[in-house]
Amino acid sequence: MTAGDPADAPTHERAPCGHTPAADGTSALLSRLAVLRERVTALVEQRAAGDPTAADPLRGLYLSEEAVRHLLSREPVPPVGVVPAKPPADDRADGFTDGLPPAAGDRLAALAARLPLTGLDVAFLLVALAPDLDRAFEPLYGYLNDDVSRRRATTGLALDLCGAPAHLAPARARLHVSAPLCALGLLEVEEPERPFLSRSLRVPDRVLAHLLGDDTPDASLHGHLHPLPRPVPAGAFAHRLAERVAHGPLTVYLREHREGDGLAAVATALHTAGLDALRFTGPADHVPGLLREARLTGRALVVSGLPEQPGPLVAALTAAPDVTVLLTDPRPYDPHWSPDDPLVLDAPRRGAGGTAVWETELGAAGAAFDLAATVAPYRLGGERVARAAHAARALAAFEGGPLTADHVRLAARQQSASGLERHARRIRPDVGWTDLVLPDRPLAQLHELALRARHRDRVLGDWRLSAGGGRGRGVLGLFAGESGTGKTLSAEVVAAELGLDLYVVQLSSVVDKYVGETEKNLERIFTEADRTDAVLLFDEADAVFGRRSEVKDSHDRYANMESAYLLQRLESFDGIALLTTNLRANIDEAFTRRLDLVIDFPFPDREQRLALWRHGLSHVPRADGVDPAPLARDFELAGGSIRSAVVTAAYLAAGRGEPVGDGDLLEGARREYRKAGRLVPGEANW
């Protein structure tokens, strides 16, 4: 068939592209195409009736003199079988769709009902997508366009097929870039350089796929769409948010106190409201396709992880009042981001542990140990809990045994990894309470410190015992005592008890000679620690937490400014921070007042020194009769020095290939005395 041979036009009995009528929505769409084919056939016959070039196989490729005369003599007449509508009373132009059947039950009808589409919009959409469903429309459109190379519908052809005079402004306005069809991404009017009536119409592939029942997201969004975390039992906030989103589209900005707080609240609220959602993380360039996806499927949008400059993304999303958009980010909302302000809310703090989420992810395997106590120190989001649970099960399977608390702790620590290693030395604790030799009082205080870390969210949050004033829920402790009395080891034991990593702050990377740089370095550390499940240790804290002094020069003034900053920052800190000092009096009293516990580590007495010698030798091969009691009596050494003495003795014995003897231990103790500049018992005083 040539473009100029209307006699070969398809009839409505023929299924497009060889498809058999499909069920439900697709069948309704094909029925609409059958009506459209009748209109196309009528218009082709009408055009061919008085056209002397209708049978010319080259019609549309050139203009003969006869064709020009025919065009000059042709008067605009309505298509056969179509009655021109009267000028509409408003801009909806519903009268132009007379003759098109209602599309009850199909996706096109559902889309028109969900979006502000008129009957004329639906007709334009159908005319534009017809060649994508039935190739037979292409030569017919080429004939009606008087150009065999233009095989898609044009704006003029669409108006003709819908019985809308080309000069009627309301009808033309439905194809404007700001009208719903184009603004919502359902229709593209191409070739803006051409006259309006000869511009081509194209329906994006994603829109056509949706109308045919395919809900696969647009390929341009690949890698930017992610599943929502599993919902948790809904609290008061989630119920209120669910009620609000269920009433209609709105835009909400949730400020997270900690990463994942807002996402967990949103997932729970949407689940409570019975709404599906698309979770997006990506640049503003993809917003048009993202909004179109939400409109096609009737889903809400959840946007987390906003870019460094969120303005363009937020502005593009808040400009869509017909789509429910929920944004989450730790930063406070900035009115400069968008002229259309969303509803700004603070996401509720997610309580430590999230036992219900862990129970859901681990199932029956989590009942073999005290799951609540195991996960209490962790404040992971639902998504990270799922990943941690998967990793824990994988670790247990690798070892060939049942799931244990150690597997869960290790997996949770892996999910808490952060950028703290840029500012602090990471220690993975490998010690326990049995490694501590301390008097009862400091040992009990260390246990209390771990207890506070586990239950701070319940006591300070649920029981509302926070002091207010923007104070955080951190746990702060000071370990004071002479060098070697076990302060750093105790911090490691506390971290091990909580199942957390220990980060020792490198003061050389914090203190800076330039004004203001020390505060900036500390802020980076505190900010990273706030979002990480870890124990932060400021060893030799006198360097940054020292006493303020009378201002006598500019150095004193700036030193006091650093202390004032630290005082404010500690109050808002949400993590676990431990400070050590050799002299408690060096720490400013203002810092001491803000600490939860101050633990004094006394110098060990004779009995404790003996216990330390025996603990140090517990894994070392010893000669028969070795007794460290005389060393504990004669050498007043702290725990760190005793350990060093045992290491020296072990090297001496290993060099001989023998077990450690009394002489090796005595030499180790003497060396520690000499290192300290002390007189060694039993040696002459030279």
Side-chain angles (χ1 to χ4, degrees), residues 358 362 374-375 378 380 383-396 403-417 426 428 499-501 533:
W358 284 96
L362 292 175
T374 300
V375 302
Y378 307 108
L380 302 177
E383 183 178 24
R384 290 195 177 185
V385 168
R387 295 173 62 177
H390 176 76
R393 289 193 297 267
L395 288 170
L403 183 71
T404 66
D406 289 338
H407 295 136
V408 174
R409 290 192 186 100
L410 178 57
R413 285 204 302 271
Q414 292 171 350
Q415 292 300 318
S416 296
R426 182 182 185 182
R428 292 189 171 179
L500 303 175
D501 288 334
D533 292 321

Side-chain angles (χ1 to χ4, degrees), residues 453-510:
R454 278 200 175 95
H455 300 291
R456 54 193 160 134
D457 282 292
R458 176 184 298 178
V459 172
L460 300 179
D462 298 345
W463 295 353
R464 302 177 65 82
L465 289 179
S466 175
R471 289 176 173 80
R473 300 180 185 177
V475 175
L476 308 174
L478 173 65
F479 296 171
E482 294 184 32
S483 178
T485 52
K487 300 185 296 297
T488 304
L489 178 62
S490 296
E492 189 174 349
V493 169
V494 170
E497 170 67 15
L498 297 173
L500 303 175
D501 288 334
L502 178 69
Y503 285 88
V504 182
V505 177
Q506 306 292 333
L507 295 182
S508 60
S509 66
V510 173

